[in-house]
Amino acid sequence: LSIVNERVFDNGPERVAVPLRCLVAASNEAPESEELEALYDRLLFRLIVNPVSDGGVSALIAATAFSSDPQDSDGAIPLGLEDAER
């Protein structure tokens, strides 16, 4: 929380300044401890999503995949289901 509140990180005995402009957090479960509740309270936007079903994984990848035509992409590398399975 010191990074969020004070923009500093305690690295052992050393306190390091953190030039924080944006904080993005993700979790697989809702916070249950007091420490995680405190962090959760500081997040402005919260989006709770349901897990992707086994049958929906390929549809999710297909919906977000880049075009395989290099002229259609902005330098991003197209990914397929086989990449996600690695």
Side-chain angles (χ1 to χ4, degrees), residues 1-8 20 22-46:
L1 285 178
S2 62
I3 291 176
V4 177
N5 293 337
E6 304 166 36
R7 311 296 194 264
V8 293
L20 183 68
C22 177
L23 174 71
V24 177
S27 177
N28 290 333
E29 55 192 46
E32 295 179 5
S33 70
E34 195 172 303
E35 294 84 10
L36 292 178
E37 286 277 348
L39 175 61
Y40 185 75
D41 287 344
R42 286 162 177 78
L43 301 177
L44 293 175
F45 302 103
R46 299 180 192 132

Side-chain angles (χ1 to χ4, degrees), residues 5-83:
N5 293 337
E6 304 166 36
R7 311 296 194 264
V8 293
F9 173 70
D10 293 321
N11 187 14
E14 183 182 5
R15 185 162 260 209
V16 181
V18 178
L20 183 68
R21 293 185 187 260
C22 177
L23 174 71
V24 177
S27 177
N28 290 333
E29 55 192 46
E32 295 179 5
S33 70
E34 195 172 303
E35 294 84 10
L36 292 178
E37 286 277 348
L39 175 61
Y40 185 75
D41 287 344
R42 286 162 177 78
L43 301 177
L44 293 175
F45 302 103
R46 299 180 192 132
L47 178 63
I48 299 173
V49 296
N50 292 325
V52 177
S53 67
D54 291 340
V57 172
S58 35
L60 176 65
I61 292 173
T64 60
F66 296 102
S67 168
S68 59
D69 183 352
Q71 292 185 1
D72 289 343
S73 73
D74 56 351
I77 300 171
L79 298 176
L81 182 57
E82 63 276 2
D83 298 304

